[in-house]
Amino acid sequence: MSRSIALLRQYLAPHWRKATALAVLVLLNAGLSVAIPLMLGRFVDTAQTGGEVRALLVIAGTFIGLTLVNQVIVSTAAYHSEDLGWLATNRMRADLVGHTLDLDQDFHQRHTPGELIERVDGDVTTLAQFFSSFVFHVLGNTLLAIGIVVASFFLDWRIGLVLLTFGVAAVLVLRRTQHVAVPYFTALRQTNADLSGFLEERLAATEDIRGNGTRNHVVGRLTGLLDELTRSMRRAGVASRASSSALELSVALATVGILALGSVLLGAGTMTLGALYVGYHYAGLLSMTLFKISYRIDQLQLAVASVGRIAEIHDRPSAVVDGPGADLPAGPLSVAYRDVSFAYTEGKPALREVSFELAPGETMGLLGRTGSGKTTVGRLLYRGQDAGAGQILVGGVDVRELTLEQLRSRVAVVTQDVRLFAASVRDNLTLFDDTVPDERIVAAIAEVGLAGWLDALPEGLDTPIGEGGGALSAGESQLLAFARVFLGEPDVVILDEASSRLDPATERLTQGAQQRLLAGRTAIVIAHHLATVRCLDHIVVLDDGRIVESGRREHLTDDPGSRYSALLAGVGA
Ligand SMILES: Nc1ncnc2c1ncn2[C@@H]1O[C@H](COP(=O)(O)OP(=O)(O)OP(=O)(O)O)[C@@H](O)[C@H]1O
């Protein structure tokens, strides 16, 4: 809880002026809301005692004027509380996304993108709503409720006593009945989350579902979930009615109490009609105020839970941290692995004492069965995760000595599964860096042999590409990923070759682009096709995380006993 408060303070502190202004507006609003009904009481009393029309007009004018001012205050306060909520939480949202992107691979393996979206968007939105409604409604209405009770004691202590009793009773009733509804709302939220998860998964797998002819099963399962949602909604709706019914009953009792008291006291001449009128008005205002508070208190509980979940990510340190920074030589860099071991899960090593060296500009093909550790070798080089034992050097410097920015500006990765964004060709290539000039982008596209493709695009670099690269073939996506690397001008490239087969023409295009990409750069190519490694300098064969063969490619080719030549001969390793 204290961490949650510290987190809120951290994001609200820069906006303290706005927060103070808001507090003043809320205070003014509460004061005016209590004062305005008193004008009505005065009006009634003045009229009843035969007061002058002029005096009545002054009271009526003041009443209208104050009501107008109060409305302006309410609107300004509502605007500022929304503004404050979103200002503070948008900063938090941006920080969370940045932090999440910095977190190590291990974290990302443990948390699905859906879960992270729920934190960054769902939880932070809850918090924004909390800010905008809590500060304004809960704080404002609590002040108003206290103001009403205090003012009613000044008006007539007996009315004060009735309203105080009603207020305390209503709070108790509301708290009790609201607890009744909470489990139903929790269940409803869970059913909603299940439904979203179901739809997200099925829509992402449209092709598989169609391909396997399972459309009707999916729709059947969805109908089941929708039935469950209807049941949950019904239960939650009935349960939430319980609290409002209870409140309405207490309001009725309070109104009857005030009117009964008023009729007795009016008859005895110890209370004015105006006071009775104001008391009656206060009873309604107080009940509405209490109802709003109790409704928002639920949001407060949700917000506290959200802050807790946000803090969990916010405070999670990355297992991979910046090094102090060190000087790297210019140009292609050497790469050396010295007895590198690594395990994702304790006791199940993915790499065992892996050692190899590449001189600046040398290229290496990494071969091995699926699960032998090839991707892991690359991941440790750009510090997606850190080696458990041993040392990895780039340009003669331990990768942990470098800042992550330093390292990743010199070492680039092309993953197997190229991700394209629902954005323009330009943004997909620069990854949203506006400072890259168009000429460089066009040149990079030409380098990978897609100049003709670009010329045919209706809006050139501004042409939007579909999310997930929907409108592009696997080969084109791969080539665009190469173009990204050309733009970054790294000195070391890790290339996880796409395992899927491309058509022969595209394959020739990617092979050509790949050769241009690797020229003058140190490279590790995780190869799934032997054709790819035919132009590389070294070959390393991995098996169960261990290097079982390594050497210059031509030596291994010439050695009939080598695993590599066995692979070439199509015998298998
Ligand atoms: N994030 C992870 N968490 C736990 N284990 C993992 C993780 N990633 C890989 N592994 C395991 O580590 C071992 C090496 O995996 P790696 O992905 O490096 O193999 P690979 O040779 O690249 O496989 P492929 O050719 O299928 O891509 C495998 O046993 C794999 O199951």
CSV table of all heavy atoms in Angstrom, one decimal, residues 151-207:
chain,number,residue,atom,x,y,z
A,151,ALA,N,-24.3,22.4,8.4
A,151,ALA,CA,-25.2,23.5,8.1
A,151,ALA,C,-26.6,23.2,8.6
A,151,ALA,O,-27.3,24.1,9.1
A,151,ALA,CB,-25.3,23.7,6.6
A,152,SER,N,-27.0,21.9,8.6
A,152,SER,CA,-28.4,21.6,9.1
A,152,SER,C,-28.5,21.8,10.6
A,152,SER,O,-29.5,22.2,11.1
A,152,SER,CB,-28.8,20.2,8.6
A,152,SER,OG,-28.0,19.3,9.2
A,153,PHE,N,-27.3,21.6,11.3
A,153,PHE,CA,-27.3,21.9,12.8
A,153,PHE,C,-27.5,23.4,13.0
A,153,PHE,O,-28.2,23.8,13.9
A,153,PHE,CB,-26.0,21.4,13.4
A,153,PHE,CG,-26.2,20.0,13.9
A,153,PHE,CD1,-25.6,18.9,13.2
A,153,PHE,CD2,-26.8,19.7,15.1
A,153,PHE,CE1,-25.7,17.6,13.6
A,153,PHE,CE2,-27.0,18.4,15.5
A,153,PHE,CZ,-26.4,17.3,14.8
A,154,PHE,N,-26.9,24.2,12.2
A,154,PHE,CA,-27.0,25.6,12.3
A,154,PHE,C,-28.5,26.1,12.0
A,154,PHE,O,-29.0,27.0,12.6
A,154,PHE,CB,-26.1,26.4,11.4
A,154,PHE,CG,-24.7,26.5,12.0
A,154,PHE,CD1,-23.6,25.7,11.5
A,154,PHE,CD2,-24.5,27.3,13.1
A,154,PHE,CE1,-22.4,25.8,12.1
A,154,PHE,CE2,-23.2,27.4,13.7
A,154,PHE,CZ,-22.2,26.6,13.2
A,155,LEU,N,-29.0,25.4,11.0
A,155,LEU,CA,-30.4,25.7,10.6
A,155,LEU,C,-31.4,25.4,11.7
A,155,LEU,O,-32.2,26.2,12.1
A,155,LEU,CB,-30.7,24.8,9.3
A,155,LEU,CG,-32.0,25.0,8.6
A,155,LEU,CD1,-31.9,26.4,7.8
A,155,LEU,CD2,-32.2,23.9,7.6
A,156,ASP,N,-31.3,24.2,12.2
A,156,ASP,CA,-32.2,23.7,13.3
A,156,ASP,C,-31.6,22.5,13.8
A,156,ASP,O,-31.4,21.5,13.1
A,156,ASP,CB,-33.6,23.5,12.8
A,156,ASP,CG,-34.6,23.2,13.9
A,156,ASP,OD1,-34.3,22.3,14.7
A,156,ASP,OD2,-35.5,24.0,14.0
A,157,TRP,N,-31.2,22.5,15.1
A,157,TRP,CA,-30.4,21.3,15.6
A,157,TRP,C,-31.2,20.0,15.5
A,157,TRP,O,-30.6,18.9,15.3
A,157,TRP,CB,-30.0,21.5,17.1
A,157,TRP,CG,-31.1,21.6,18.1
A,157,TRP,CD1,-31.8,22.7,18.5
A,157,TRP,CD2,-31.7,20.5,18.8
A,157,TRP,NE1,-32.8,22.4,19.4
A,157,TRP,CE2,-32.8,21.1,19.6
A,157,TRP,CE3,-31.5,19.2,18.8
A,157,TRP,CZ2,-33.6,20.3,20.4
A,157,TRP,CZ3,-32.3,18.4,19.7
A,157,TRP,CH2,-33.3,18.9,20.4
A,158,ARG,N,-32.6,20.1,15.5
A,158,ARG,CA,-33.3,18.8,15.4
A,158,ARG,C,-33.2,18.2,14.0
A,158,ARG,O,-33.1,17.0,13.8
A,158,ARG,CB,-34.8,19.1,15.7
A,158,ARG,CG,-35.0,19.4,17.2
A,158,ARG,CD,-36.2,20.2,17.6
A,158,ARG,NE,-36.1,21.5,16.9
A,158,ARG,CZ,-36.9,22.5,17.3
A,158,ARG,NH1,-37.7,22.4,18.3
A,158,ARG,NH2,-36.8,23.7,16.7
A,159,ILE,N,-33.2,19.1,13.0
A,159,ILE,CA,-33.0,18.7,11.6
A,159,ILE,C,-31.6,18.1,11.5
A,159,ILE,O,-31.4,17.0,10.9
A,159,ILE,CB,-33.2,19.8,10.6
A,159,ILE,CG1,-34.7,20.3,10.5
A,159,ILE,CG2,-32.8,19.4,9.2
A,159,ILE,CD1,-35.0,21.3,9.6
A,160,GLY,N,-30.7,18.8,12.1
A,160,GLY,CA,-29.3,18.3,12.1
A,160,GLY,C,-29.2,16.9,12.6
A,160,GLY,O,-28.5,16.0,12.1
A,161,LEU,N,-29.9,16.6,13.7
A,161,LEU,CA,-29.9,15.3,14.4
A,161,LEU,C,-30.4,14.3,13.5
A,161,LEU,O,-29.9,13.2,13.3
A,161,LEU,CB,-30.7,15.4,15.7
A,161,LEU,CG,-30.1,14.6,16.8
A,161,LEU,CD1,-28.7,14.9,17.1
A,161,LEU,CD2,-31.0,14.8,18.1
A,162,VAL,N,-31.6,14.6,12.8
A,162,VAL,CA,-32.2,13.6,11.9
A,162,VAL,C,-31.2,13.3,10.7
A,162,VAL,O,-31.0,12.1,10.4
A,162,VAL,CB,-33.5,14.2,11.3
A,162,VAL,CG1,-34.1,13.2,10.2
A,162,VAL,CG2,-34.6,14.3,12.4
A,163,LEU,N,-30.6,14.3,10.2
A,163,LEU,CA,-29.7,14.1,9.0
A,163,LEU,C,-28.5,13.4,9.4
A,163,LEU,O,-28.0,12.5,8.7
A,163,LEU,CB,-29.4,15.4,8.3
A,163,LEU,CG,-30.5,16.1,7.5
A,163,LEU,CD1,-30.0,17.3,6.8
A,163,LEU,CD2,-31.1,15.1,6.5
A,164,LEU,N,-28.0,13.7,10.6
A,164,LEU,CA,-26.8,13.0,11.1
A,164,LEU,C,-27.1,11.5,11.3
A,164,LEU,O,-26.3,10.6,10.8
A,164,LEU,CB,-26.3,13.6,12.4
A,164,LEU,CG,-25.0,12.9,13.0
A,164,LEU,CD1,-23.8,13.2,12.0
A,164,LEU,CD2,-24.7,13.5,14.4
A,165,THR,N,-28.2,11.2,11.9
A,165,THR,CA,-28.6,9.8,12.1
A,165,THR,C,-28.8,9.1,10.7
A,165,THR,O,-28.3,8.0,10.5
A,165,THR,CB,-29.9,9.7,12.9
A,165,THR,OG1,-29.9,10.6,13.9
A,165,THR,CG2,-30.2,8.3,13.4
A,166,PHE,N,-29.5,9.8,9.8
A,166,PHE,CA,-29.7,9.2,8.5
A,166,PHE,C,-28.3,9.0,7.8
A,166,PHE,O,-28.1,7.9,7.2
A,166,PHE,CB,-30.6,10.2,7.7
A,166,PHE,CG,-30.4,9.9,6.2
A,166,PHE,CD1,-30.8,8.7,5.6
A,166,PHE,CD2,-29.8,10.9,5.4
A,166,PHE,CE1,-30.7,8.5,4.2
A,166,PHE,CE2,-29.7,10.7,4.0
A,166,PHE,CZ,-30.1,9.5,3.4
A,167,GLY,N,-27.4,10.0,7.9
A,167,GLY,CA,-26.1,9.8,7.2
A,167,GLY,C,-25.4,8.6,7.7
A,167,GLY,O,-24.9,7.8,6.9
A,168,VAL,N,-25.3,8.5,9.0
A,168,VAL,CA,-24.5,7.3,9.6
A,168,VAL,C,-25.2,6.0,9.2
A,168,VAL,O,-24.5,5.1,8.7
A,168,VAL,CB,-24.5,7.5,11.1
A,168,VAL,CG1,-23.8,6.2,11.7
A,168,VAL,CG2,-23.6,8.7,11.5
A,169,ALA,N,-26.5,6.0,9.3
A,169,ALA,CA,-27.2,4.7,8.9
A,169,ALA,C,-27.0,4.4,7.5
A,169,ALA,O,-26.8,3.2,7.1
A,169,ALA,CB,-28.7,4.9,9.2
A,170,ALA,N,-27.1,5.4,6.6
A,170,ALA,CA,-27.0,5.2,5.2
A,170,ALA,C,-25.6,4.6,4.8
A,170,ALA,O,-25.5,3.7,4.0
A,170,ALA,CB,-27.3,6.4,4.4
A,171,VAL,N,-24.6,5.2,5.5
A,171,VAL,CA,-23.2,4.7,5.2
A,171,VAL,C,-23.1,3.3,5.6
A,171,VAL,O,-22.6,2.4,4.8
A,171,VAL,CB,-22.2,5.6,5.9
A,171,VAL,CG1,-20.8,4.9,5.9
A,171,VAL,CG2,-22.1,7.0,5.3
A,172,LEU,N,-23.7,2.9,6.8
A,172,LEU,CA,-23.6,1.5,7.2
A,172,LEU,C,-24.3,0.6,6.2
A,172,LEU,O,-23.8,-0.5,5.8
A,172,LEU,CB,-24.2,1.4,8.6
A,172,LEU,CG,-23.4,2.1,9.7
A,172,LEU,CD1,-24.0,1.9,11.1
A,172,LEU,CD2,-21.9,1.5,9.8
A,173,VAL,N,-25.5,1.0,5.9
A,173,VAL,CA,-26.3,0.2,5.0
A,173,VAL,C,-25.6,0.0,3.6
A,173,VAL,O,-25.5,-1.2,3.1
A,173,VAL,CB,-27.7,0.8,4.7
A,173,VAL,CG1,-28.4,0.2,3.5
A,173,VAL,CG2,-28.6,0.7,6.0
A,174,LEU,N,-25.1,1.1,3.1
A,174,LEU,CA,-24.4,1.0,1.8
A,174,LEU,C,-23.2,0.1,1.8
A,174,LEU,O,-23.0,-0.8,1.0
A,174,LEU,CB,-24.0,2.4,1.3
A,174,LEU,CG,-25.1,3.2,0.7
A,174,LEU,CD1,-24.6,4.6,0.4
A,174,LEU,CD2,-25.4,2.5,-0.7
A,175,ARG,N,-22.4,0.2,2.9
A,175,ARG,CA,-21.2,-0.6,3.0
A,175,ARG,C,-21.6,-2.1,3.0
A,175,ARG,O,-21.0,-3.0,2.4
A,175,ARG,CB,-20.3,-0.3,4.2
A,175,ARG,CG,-19.6,1.0,4.2
A,175,ARG,CD,-19.1,1.4,2.8
A,175,ARG,NE,-18.1,0.5,2.3
A,175,ARG,CZ,-17.8,0.4,1.0
A,175,ARG,NH1,-18.6,1.0,0.1
A,175,ARG,NH2,-16.9,-0.5,0.6
A,176,ARG,N,-22.6,-2.4,3.8
A,176,ARG,CA,-23.0,-3.8,4.0
A,176,ARG,C,-23.6,-4.4,2.6
A,176,ARG,O,-23.2,-5.4,2.2
A,176,ARG,CB,-24.1,-3.9,5.0
A,176,ARG,CG,-24.5,-5.2,5.5
A,176,ARG,CD,-25.0,-5.2,6.9
A,176,ARG,NE,-23.8,-5.2,7.8
A,176,ARG,CZ,-23.3,-6.3,8.3
A,176,ARG,NH1,-23.7,-7.5,8.0
A,176,ARG,NH2,-22.3,-6.3,9.2
A,177,THR,N,-24.5,-3.6,2.0
A,177,THR,CA,-25.1,-4.1,0.8
A,177,THR,C,-24.1,-4.2,-0.4
A,177,THR,O,-24.2,-5.0,-1.2
A,177,THR,CB,-26.3,-3.3,0.4
A,177,THR,OG1,-26.0,-1.9,0.4
A,177,THR,CG2,-27.5,-3.6,1.3
A,178,GLN,N,-23.1,-3.3,-0.4
A,178,GLN,CA,-22.2,-3.3,-1.5
A,178,GLN,C,-21.3,-4.5,-1.5
A,178,GLN,O,-21.0,-5.0,-2.5
A,178,GLN,CB,-21.3,-2.0,-1.4
A,178,GLN,CG,-21.9,-1.1,-2.5
A,178,GLN,CD,-21.2,0.2,-2.5
A,178,GLN,OE1,-20.3,0.4,-1.6
A,178,GLN,NE2,-21.5,1.0,-3.4
A,179,HIS,N,-21.0,-5.0,-0.3
A,179,HIS,CA,-20.2,-6.2,-0.2
A,179,HIS,C,-20.9,-7.4,-0.9
A,179,HIS,O,-20.3,-8.2,-1.4
A,179,HIS,CB,-19.8,-6.5,1.3
A,179,HIS,CG,-18.8,-5.6,1.8
A,179,HIS,ND1,-17.5,-5.5,1.2
A,179,HIS,CD2,-18.7,-4.8,2.8
A,179,HIS,CE1,-16.8,-4.6,1.8
A,179,HIS,NE2,-17.5,-4.2,2.9
A,180,VAL,N,-22.2,-7.3,-0.8
A,180,VAL,CA,-23.0,-8.4,-1.4
A,180,VAL,C,-22.7,-8.5,-2.9
A,180,VAL,O,-22.6,-9.5,-3.5
A,180,VAL,CB,-24.5,-8.2,-1.1
A,180,VAL,CG1,-25.4,-9.2,-1.9
A,180,VAL,CG2,-24.8,-8.2,0.4
A,181,ALA,N,-22.6,-7.3,-3.5
A,181,ALA,CA,-22.5,-7.3,-5.0
A,181,ALA,C,-21.0,-7.5,-5.5
A,181,ALA,O,-20.9,-8.0,-6.6
A,181,ALA,CB,-22.9,-5.9,-5.5
A,182,VAL,N,-20.0,-7.3,-4.6
A,182,VAL,CA,-18.6,-7.4,-5.1
A,182,VAL,C,-18.3,-8.7,-5.8
A,182,VAL,O,-17.8,-8.8,-6.9
A,182,VAL,CB,-17.7,-7.1,-3.9
A,182,VAL,CG1,-16.2,-7.4,-4.3
A,182,VAL,CG2,-17.8,-5.6,-3.6
A,183,PRO,N,-18.6,-9.9,-5.1
A,183,PRO,CA,-18.2,-11.2,-5.8
A,183,PRO,C,-18.9,-11.3,-7.2
A,183,PRO,O,-18.3,-11.9,-8.1
A,183,PRO,CB,-18.7,-12.3,-4.8
A,183,PRO,CG,-19.3,-11.6,-3.7
A,183,PRO,CD,-19.2,-10.1,-3.8
A,184,TYR,N,-20.1,-10.8,-7.3
A,184,TYR,CA,-20.8,-10.9,-8.6
A,184,TYR,C,-20.1,-10.1,-9.7
A,184,TYR,O,-20.0,-10.5,-10.8
A,184,TYR,CB,-22.3,-10.5,-8.5
A,184,TYR,CG,-23.0,-11.5,-7.6
A,184,TYR,CD1,-23.3,-11.1,-6.3
A,184,TYR,CD2,-23.4,-12.7,-8.0
A,184,TYR,CE1,-24.0,-12.0,-5.4
A,184,TYR,CE2,-24.0,-13.6,-7.2
A,184,TYR,CZ,-24.3,-13.3,-5.9
A,184,TYR,OH,-25.0,-14.1,-5.1
A,185,PHE,N,-19.6,-8.9,-9.3
A,185,PHE,CA,-18.9,-8.0,-10.2
A,185,PHE,C,-17.5,-8.6,-10.6
A,185,PHE,O,-17.1,-8.5,-11.7
A,185,PHE,CB,-18.8,-6.6,-9.7
A,185,PHE,CG,-20.0,-5.8,-10.0
A,185,PHE,CD1,-21.0,-5.5,-9.0
A,185,PHE,CD2,-20.3,-5.4,-11.3
A,185,PHE,CE1,-22.1,-4.9,-9.3
A,185,PHE,CE2,-21.4,-4.7,-11.6
A,185,PHE,CZ,-22.4,-4.4,-10.6
A,186,THR,N,-16.9,-9.2,-9.6
A,186,THR,CA,-15.6,-9.9,-9.9
A,186,THR,C,-15.8,-11.0,-10.9
A,186,THR,O,-15.0,-11.1,-11.8
A,186,THR,CB,-15.0,-10.4,-8.5
A,186,THR,OG1,-15.0,-9.4,-7.6
A,186,THR,CG2,-13.6,-10.9,-8.7
A,187,ALA,N,-16.8,-11.8,-10.6
A,187,ALA,CA,-17.1,-12.9,-11.6
A,187,ALA,C,-17.4,-12.4,-13.0
A,187,ALA,O,-17.0,-12.9,-14.0
A,187,ALA,CB,-18.3,-13.7,-11.0
A,188,LEU,N,-18.2,-11.3,-13.0
A,188,LEU,CA,-18.5,-10.7,-14.3
A,188,LEU,C,-17.3,-10.2,-15.1
A,188,LEU,O,-17.1,-10.5,-16.3
A,188,LEU,CB,-19.5,-9.5,-14.1
A,188,LEU,CG,-19.9,-8.7,-15.3
A,188,LEU,CD1,-20.7,-9.6,-16.3
A,188,LEU,CD2,-20.8,-7.5,-15.0
A,189,ARG,N,-16.3,-9.6,-14.3
A,189,ARG,CA,-15.1,-9.1,-15.0
A,189,ARG,C,-14.3,-10.3,-15.5
A,189,ARG,O,-13.7,-10.3,-16.6
A,189,ARG,CB,-14.3,-8.3,-14.0
A,189,ARG,CG,-14.7,-6.8,-14.0
A,189,ARG,CD,-13.6,-6.0,-13.4
A,189,ARG,NE,-13.5,-6.2,-12.0
A,189,ARG,CZ,-14.2,-5.6,-11.1
A,189,ARG,NH1,-15.1,-4.7,-11.4
A,189,ARG,NH2,-14.1,-5.9,-9.8
A,190,GLN,N,-14.3,-11.4,-14.7
A,190,GLN,CA,-13.5,-12.6,-15.1
A,190,GLN,C,-14.1,-13.1,-16.4
A,190,GLN,O,-13.4,-13.5,-17.4
A,190,GLN,CB,-13.5,-13.6,-14.0
A,190,GLN,CG,-12.6,-14.8,-14.3
A,190,GLN,CD,-11.2,-14.4,-14.6
A,190,GLN,OE1,-10.6,-13.6,-13.9
A,190,GLN,NE2,-10.6,-14.9,-15.7
A,191,THR,N,-15.5,-13.2,-16.4
A,191,THR,CA,-16.2,-13.8,-17.6
A,191,THR,C,-15.8,-12.9,-18.8
A,191,THR,O,-15.6,-13.4,-19.9
A,191,THR,CB,-17.7,-13.8,-17.4
A,191,THR,OG1,-17.9,-14.3,-16.1
A,191,THR,CG2,-18.3,-14.7,-18.4
A,192,ASN,N,-15.8,-11.6,-18.6
A,192,ASN,CA,-15.5,-10.6,-19.7
A,192,ASN,C,-14.1,-10.9,-20.2
A,192,ASN,O,-13.8,-10.9,-21.4
A,192,ASN,CB,-15.6,-9.2,-19.2
A,192,ASN,CG,-16.9,-8.6,-19.6
A,192,ASN,OD1,-17.3,-8.8,-20.8
A,192,ASN,ND2,-17.5,-7.8,-18.8
A,193,ALA,N,-13.1,-11.1,-19.2
A,193,ALA,CA,-11.7,-11.3,-19.6
A,193,ALA,C,-11.6,-12.6,-20.4
A,193,ALA,O,-10.9,-12.7,-21.4
A,193,ALA,CB,-10.9,-11.3,-18.4
A,194,ASP,N,-12.3,-13.6,-19.9
A,194,ASP,CA,-12.3,-14.9,-20.6
A,194,ASP,C,-12.8,-14.8,-22.1
A,194,ASP,O,-12.2,-15.3,-23.0
A,194,ASP,CB,-13.2,-16.0,-20.0
A,194,ASP,CG,-12.6,-16.4,-18.6
A,194,ASP,OD1,-11.4,-16.0,-18.4
A,194,ASP,OD2,-13.3,-17.0,-17.8
A,195,LEU,N,-13.8,-14.0,-22.2
A,195,LEU,CA,-14.4,-13.8,-23.5
A,195,LEU,C,-13.4,-13.1,-24.5
A,195,LEU,O,-13.2,-13.5,-25.6
A,195,LEU,CB,-15.7,-13.0,-23.4
A,195,LEU,CG,-16.5,-12.8,-24.7
A,195,LEU,CD1,-17.0,-14.1,-25.3
A,195,LEU,CD2,-17.7,-11.9,-24.5
A,196,SER,N,-12.8,-12.0,-23.9
A,196,SER,CA,-11.8,-11.3,-24.8
A,196,SER,C,-10.7,-12.2,-25.2
A,196,SER,O,-10.3,-12.2,-26.3
A,196,SER,CB,-11.2,-10.1,-24.0
A,196,SER,OG,-12.2,-9.4,-23.3
A,197,GLY,N,-10.2,-13.0,-24.2
A,197,GLY,CA,-9.1,-13.9,-24.5
A,197,GLY,C,-9.5,-14.9,-25.6
A,197,GLY,O,-8.7,-15.1,-26.5
A,198,PHE,N,-10.7,-15.4,-25.5
A,198,PHE,CA,-11.2,-16.4,-26.4
A,198,PHE,C,-11.2,-15.8,-27.8
A,198,PHE,O,-10.7,-16.3,-28.8
A,198,PHE,CB,-12.6,-16.8,-26.0
A,198,PHE,CG,-13.2,-17.8,-26.9
A,198,PHE,CD1,-13.0,-19.2,-26.7
A,198,PHE,CD2,-14.0,-17.4,-28.0
A,198,PHE,CE1,-13.6,-20.1,-27.6
A,198,PHE,CE2,-14.6,-18.3,-28.8
A,198,PHE,CZ,-14.4,-19.7,-28.6
A,199,LEU,N,-11.8,-14.6,-27.9
A,199,LEU,CA,-12.0,-13.9,-29.2
A,199,LEU,C,-10.6,-13.6,-29.8
A,199,LEU,O,-10.4,-13.8,-31.0
A,199,LEU,CB,-12.8,-12.6,-29.1
A,199,LEU,CG,-14.3,-12.9,-28.9
A,199,LEU,CD1,-15.0,-11.6,-28.6
A,199,LEU,CD2,-14.9,-13.6,-30.1
A,200,GLU,N,-9.7,-13.0,-29.0
A,200,GLU,CA,-8.4,-12.6,-29.5
A,200,GLU,C,-7.7,-13.8,-30.1
A,200,GLU,O,-7.1,-13.8,-31.2
A,200,GLU,CB,-7.6,-12.1,-28.3
A,200,GLU,CG,-6.3,-11.4,-28.7
A,200,GLU,CD,-5.4,-11.1,-27.5
A,200,GLU,OE1,-6.0,-10.8,-26.4
A,200,GLU,OE2,-4.2,-11.1,-27.7
A,201,GLU,N,-7.7,-15.0,-29.3
A,201,GLU,CA,-7.0,-16.2,-29.8
A,201,GLU,C,-7.6,-16.7,-31.1
A,201,GLU,O,-6.9,-17.0,-32.0
A,201,GLU,CB,-7.1,-17.3,-28.7
A,201,GLU,CG,-5.8,-17.5,-28.0
A,201,GLU,CD,-6.0,-18.6,-26.9
A,201,GLU,OE1,-6.8,-19.5,-27.2
A,201,GLU,OE2,-5.4,-18.4,-25.9
A,202,ARG,N,-8.9,-16.8,-31.1
A,202,ARG,CA,-9.6,-17.4,-32.3
A,202,ARG,C,-9.4,-16.5,-33.5
A,202,ARG,O,-9.2,-17.0,-34.6
A,202,ARG,CB,-11.1,-17.6,-32.0
A,202,ARG,CG,-11.4,-18.5,-30.9
A,202,ARG,CD,-10.5,-19.8,-30.9
A,202,ARG,NE,-10.9,-20.8,-29.9
A,202,ARG,CZ,-10.4,-20.8,-28.6
A,202,ARG,NH1,-9.6,-19.8,-28.2
A,202,ARG,NH2,-10.8,-21.7,-27.7
A,203,LEU,N,-9.5,-15.2,-33.3
A,203,LEU,CA,-9.4,-14.3,-34.5
A,203,LEU,C,-8.0,-14.3,-35.0
A,203,LEU,O,-7.7,-14.2,-36.2
A,203,LEU,CB,-9.8,-12.8,-34.1
A,203,LEU,CG,-11.3,-12.7,-33.9
A,203,LEU,CD1,-11.6,-11.3,-33.4
A,203,LEU,CD2,-12.1,-13.0,-35.2
A,204,ALA,N,-7.0,-14.5,-34.1
A,204,ALA,CA,-5.6,-14.6,-34.6
A,204,ALA,C,-5.3,-15.9,-35.4
A,204,ALA,O,-4.4,-16.0,-36.1
A,204,ALA,CB,-4.6,-14.5,-33.4
A,205,ALA,N,-6.2,-16.9,-35.1
A,205,ALA,CA,-6.0,-18.2,-35.8
A,205,ALA,C,-7.0,-18.5,-36.8
A,205,ALA,O,-7.3,-19.6,-37.1
A,205,ALA,CB,-6.0,-19.3,-34.7
A,206,THR,N,-7.5,-17.4,-37.5
A,206,THR,CA,-8.6,-17.6,-38.5
A,206,THR,C,-8.2,-18.6,-39.5
A,206,THR,O,-9.0,-19.5,-39.9
A,206,THR,CB,-8.8,-16.2,-39.2
A,206,THR,OG1,-8.8,-15.2,-38.3
A,206,THR,CG2,-10.1,-16.2,-39.9
A,207,GLU,N,-7.0,-18.5,-40.0
A,207,GLU,CA,-6.6,-19.4,-41.1
A,207,GLU,C,-6.6,-20.9,-40.6
A,207,GLU,O,-7.1,-21.8,-41.4
A,207,GLU,CB,-5.2,-19.0,-41.6
A,207,GLU,CG,-5.0,-19.3,-43.1
A,207,GLU,CD,-3.9,-18.5,-43.7
A,207,GLU,OE1,-3.4,-17.6,-43.0
A,207,GLU,OE2,-3.4,-18.9,-44.7
